[in-house]
Amino acid sequence: MKLSEKIKFIRKNILNLSIEEFASILGVSRRTISSWENKQVLPAISNIISISLISNITIDSIIFDDYPFEIICEDIDEECYMALKTIVKEYEKNN
């Protein structure tokens, strides 16, 4: 999965956010999010770090094409961890 696809997957399936909501959280425009998801522009590393922090997905998992999603577990409760684990398993099953 490419970076653009991962960003869209994280936004839609992990964070359950619209483009507008995601853009607002990251402090960028809707057009910026769209350009990342459509492979027109690469996000700045600061944006990748922000995506990692809000989604609890490691930076390596986001930036490396064939790297599986890894969840950062230190800052989330058990319920959130299990929900994210289920989403990641479903993703891996379908891809």
Side-chain angles (χ1 to χ4, degrees), residues 41-95:
V41 177
L42 291 173
I45 191 65
S46 60
N47 295 123
I48 292 172
I49 292 168
S50 295
I51 292 168
S52 173
L53 291 171
I54 64 173
S55 67
N56 286 312
I57 301 294
T58 65
I59 293 170
D60 288 349
S61 296
I62 296 171
I63 63 173
F64 294 117
D65 289 349
D66 295 320
Y67 203 92
F69 281 131
E70 289 183 346
I71 301 168
I72 303 168
C73 300
E74 61 191 50
D75 295 319
I76 61 174
D77 61 29
E78 182 71 19
E79 183 180 346
C80 290
Y81 171 77
M82 294 309 293
L84 285 171
K85 189 174 179 181
T86 301
I87 291 167
V88 170
K89 281 185 181 181
E90 186 66 25
Y91 160 77
E92 289 174 343
K93 184 174 84 175
N94 293 323
N95 290 300

Side-chain angles (χ1 to χ4, degrees), residues 4 8 19 31-41:
S4 58
K8 188 172 188 174
I19 289 178
R31 183 175 289 167
T32 297
I33 300 296
S34 182
S35 69
W36 296 344
E37 292 181 357
N38 292 308
K39 303 180 195 174
Q40 297 169 335
V41 177

